[in-house]
Amino acid sequence: MRHLTVGRLITYAVLILAALAVIFPVYYVIAGSIMSPGQISSYPPDLFPKGIFTGNYEGATSSTAIGQQYANSILQTSVITLSQLITSVLAAYAFVFMKMWGRTVMFGLFLATLMVPWESIVLPNYLTITGWQLGDQRLTATYAGTMIALVLPFLANAFGVFLLRQSFLQFPTELRDAAVIDGCGHWRFIRRILLPLSKPALMAVGLYVFLSAWNQFFWPLLIGDKPSQRTLQIGISQLNDAEAADPGLILAGVTLSILPTLAIVIFGQRFIVRGLTAGAIR
């Protein structure tokens, strides 16, 4: 058994306090969402719910189109995550396994796009997308068009390419050469060999993209014309504006928003760590 020194005990105490500081806001959001209005407004505030009060969730779902907005967020996030995984895998494969002139320079230019602030391209993206038409209507005039406008600027991203490229660089070149000798083409090599051996990096990219897309606020607010065409994050802000006097409704909406991300972080944490550290040690 490891001997506990004074320094180690102090380290554990500091880590426990830091963990509590991080966990407490999440706990209170979830606990407050099932408290009655009287309990939430009590002073000093109660830290533990006295029973389960479901009226906050009922009020949150009835005050705004939060159900439709929840579905919009799921659809938007799923499309963006799948698209970025596909484009990142193909681009990273080309940068690692395909011989081409100026490959390093092209990759550097590709990474340079990460240094372009999102705020500087919001207006060009907005003018471009709203100028397009779906049939004889403006692109954002219909639900389908709005969903297309929500995902179009985020179908590819350089960060996923960078992360997967670092992972693919660790792939044994002998295995790649053996596959080529056996007549394995690019698509078959990616599908049957490369992807199954790169699951941690793929999961890390997928989780990162999912969390980023799920928490988007400004772009969905800019694009969505109607409450039913917006995402969950916008619905929560509308709930805050409409029901500022009832914090229980706001906490219920926030709880609905953080549950998917909380589950992903808890169950996918090891994939995030393994994927982000891929290529750090060679």
Side-chain angles (χ1 to χ4, degrees), residues 65-84:
I66 201 168
Q68 180 64 54
Q69 292 166 351
Y70 209 103
N72 294 343
S73 290
I74 293 176
L75 179 59
Q76 174 210 13
T77 304
S78 301
V79 172
I80 291 176
T81 303
L82 181 61
S83 174
Q84 287 202 26

Side-chain angles (χ1 to χ4, degrees), residues 2 29 37 56 61 65 78 91 95 114-115 121 127 129 138 143 151 160-161 170 192 195 202 204-205 217 251 258 264:
R2 182 178 295 181
V29 165
N56 294 327
T61 54
S78 301
F95 282 126
L114 291 175
M115 295 184 290
I121 60 176
L127 294 177
I129 289 178
R138 189 166 60 95
Y143 175 80
V151 303
V161 178
Q170 311 305 309
R192 302 293 295 274
L195 294 185
L202 291 173
V205 173
F217 181 83
L251 293 178
I258 67 173
I264 285 178

Side-chain angles (χ1 to χ4, degrees), residues 68-130:
Q68 180 64 54
Q69 292 166 351
Y70 209 103
N72 294 343
S73 290
I74 293 176
L75 179 59
Q76 174 210 13
T77 304
S78 301
V79 172
I80 291 176
T81 303
L82 181 61
S83 174
Q84 287 202 26
L85 280 175
I86 294 174
T87 55
S88 297
V89 166
L90 296 179
Y93 177 84
F95 282 126
V96 174
F97 295 105
M98 299 184 69
K99 305 298 181 181
M100 64 183 77
W101 181 84
R103 181 174 59 179
T104 304
V105 176
M106 292 175 60
F107 181 68
L109 294 174
F110 200 77
L111 284 185
T113 61
L114 291 175
M115 295 184 290
V116 179
W118 164 249
E119 292 79 4
S120 65
I121 60 176
V122 167
L123 183 58
N125 281 338
Y126 177 79
L127 294 177
T128 300
I129 289 178
T130 55

Side-chain angles (χ1 to χ4, degrees), residues 5-82:
T5 63
V6 175
R8 191 176 298 277
L9 289 175
I10 294 176
T11 301
Y12 287 159
V14 172
L15 291 176
I16 291 173
L17 290 176
L20 291 176
V22 173
I23 294 174
F24 178 76
V26 179
Y27 161 77
Y28 191 75
V29 165
I30 298 176
S33 68
I34 57 176
M35 291 182 183
S36 63
Q39 188 179 5
I40 295 177
S41 59
S42 63
Y43 184 83
D46 290 332
L47 298 181
F48 304 99
K50 300 175 182 178
I52 298 178
F53 178 72
T54 61
N56 294 327
Y57 290 93
E58 296 172 357
T61 54
S62 61
S63 298
T64 62
I66 201 168
Q68 180 64 54
Q69 292 166 351
Y70 209 103
N72 294 343
S73 290
I74 293 176
L75 179 59
Q76 174 210 13
T77 304
S78 301
V79 172
I80 291 176
T81 303
L82 181 61

